Amino acid sequence: MTDAEQRKEYLLKHYWDNFDFSDTLLVNNRSVSEQGWVNQLGLLASGPVPEAWIEESLDNLCTGMEKTEQARRFFMSMIDEYLYNPNSPYYDEDWYRIYLKRMLRSTVLDEASKSSLKFRLDLISRNMPGTLAQDFVYYLPDGTQHTLRKTPVEGNRLLLVFYDPECGNCQESLHVMAADDKLADAVAAGRLTVLAIYTEGNEAVWRKAYQRFHNHGLLETIGSR
């Protein structure tokens, strides 16, 4: 094959053809199995890849790992770790959705395993781009109850932020937002509404964070679930 795209397509679709999934030592050798998975993800991430290629590439892996229970457990755990863990550099709900749909068609998984996969598929299928966001209830500092869909929005633009003030990354993000003059100007001019939702249950922590960031004039609306 001399065409680069043709070679890439073939490699993605036949990536695991020569891997012996029945060899326990080979499967457990992470320098081979895990590195192979990382290399496959690198190929998938190396520029635009048609969804059909992604489906066939992941199907190639799933078909191989289904052959033995040990390989299936190992690779399913690794796929979760790389595609479903938000801290993974390869976190990708679109790829993970393709994988889940493929495994739900598996003839070797029991119903309990499929039920768990179905739950995750339903979860990540919510709030997809271009769809109506799932509604939820939140409370303002004055105790009033509101819902997302009935939140008054300035300028037809809503910036929705989920945070925990005891989370370092969340604190950093909120500080960056509070220091952003363009964001503050948009809020002040009525071009944007910011709705920050505290996701934990400690009211004292919530109110302390509210006061701190409200004093910056940024979080005009801040709620708690």
Side-chain angles (χ1 to χ4, degrees):
M1 295 182 185
T2 57
D3 180 77
E5 283 300 294
Q6 188 180 28
R7 291 199 304 269
K8 181 177 180 180
E9 178 184 4
Y10 183 87
L11 182 57
L12 282 172
K13 294 180 179 181
H14 298 274
Y15 191 84
W16 296 95
D17 283 3
N18 296 322
F19 185 85
D20 186 358
F21 288 90
S22 64
D23 187 333
T24 302
L25 292 177
L26 185 62
V27 170
N28 288 337
N29 186 345
R30 285 184 171 268
S31 64
V32 177
S33 55
E34 183 171 6
Q35 188 58 53
W37 169 234
V38 171
N39 291 345
Q40 181 183 13
L41 291 174
L43 279 172
L44 291 172
S46 61
V49 176
E51 185 169 314
W53 295 9
I54 300 173
E55 291 175 352
E56 290 194 49
S57 185
L58 294 178
D59 177 70
N60 178 240
L61 172 57
C62 293
T63 299
M65 73 181 183
E66 284 179 324
K67 295 176 181 177
T68 65
E69 182 178 356
Q70 194 276 339
R72 187 168 67 252
R73 290 180 180 275
F74 178 86
F75 278 95
M76 288 183 71
S77 175
M78 194 164 58
I79 292 171
D80 287 346
E81 179 182 345
Y82 277 86
L83 295 186
Y84 195 55
N85 183 349
N87 296 317
S88 166
Y90 288 107
Y91 173 75
D92 192 301
E93 289 188 351
D94 289 333
W95 294 352
Y96 192 61
R97 186 179 297 107
I98 292 172
Y99 155 74
L100 290 174
K101 288 181 178 179
R102 164 58 181 81
M103 292 309 293
L104 285 172
R105 299 194 303 270
S106 173
T107 59
V108 300
L109 288 185
D110 57 33
E111 289 306 312
S113 298
K114 286 189 176 183
S115 177
S116 177
L117 297 179
K118 180 64 164 56
F119 175 80
R120 288 191 175 185
L121 179 60
D122 291 342
L123 190 63
I124 66 173
S125 296
R126 300 176 182 176
N127 302 322
M128 294 178 63
T131 65
L132 188 64
Q134 294 285 313
D135 201 12
F136 59 82
V137 173
Y138 65 90
Y139 297 88
L140 293 182
D142 62 6
T144 58
Q145 177 179 303
H146 299 263
T147 64
L148 175 64
R149 292 184 186 173
K150 293 186 178 180
T151 298
V153 177
E154 297 286 349
N156 199 32
R157 292 290 183 273
L158 174 69
L159 175 59
L160 179 60
V161 183
F162 294 99
Y163 78 103
D164 177 359
E166 295 184 318
C167 159
N169 290 335
C170 297
Q171 288 187 34
E172 182 179 352
S173 297
L174 289 174
H175 280 296
V176 169
M177 290 171 59
D180 190 319
D181 292 337
K182 291 184 178 180
L183 184 58
D185 290 344
V187 172
R191 299 192 304 272
L192 173 72
T193 295
V194 178
L195 176 60
I197 303 295
Y198 171 50
T199 59
E200 305 302 320
N202 190 322
E203 185 173 347
V205 170
W206 167 43
R207 290 189 179 278
K208 183 178 180 181
Y210 166 77
Q211 190 61 44
R212 180 168 69 252
F213 288 101
H214 185 72
N215 288 340
H216 282 82
L218 173 61
L219 302 182
E220 296 300 325
T221 306
I222 186 166
S224 174
R225 298 180 75 172

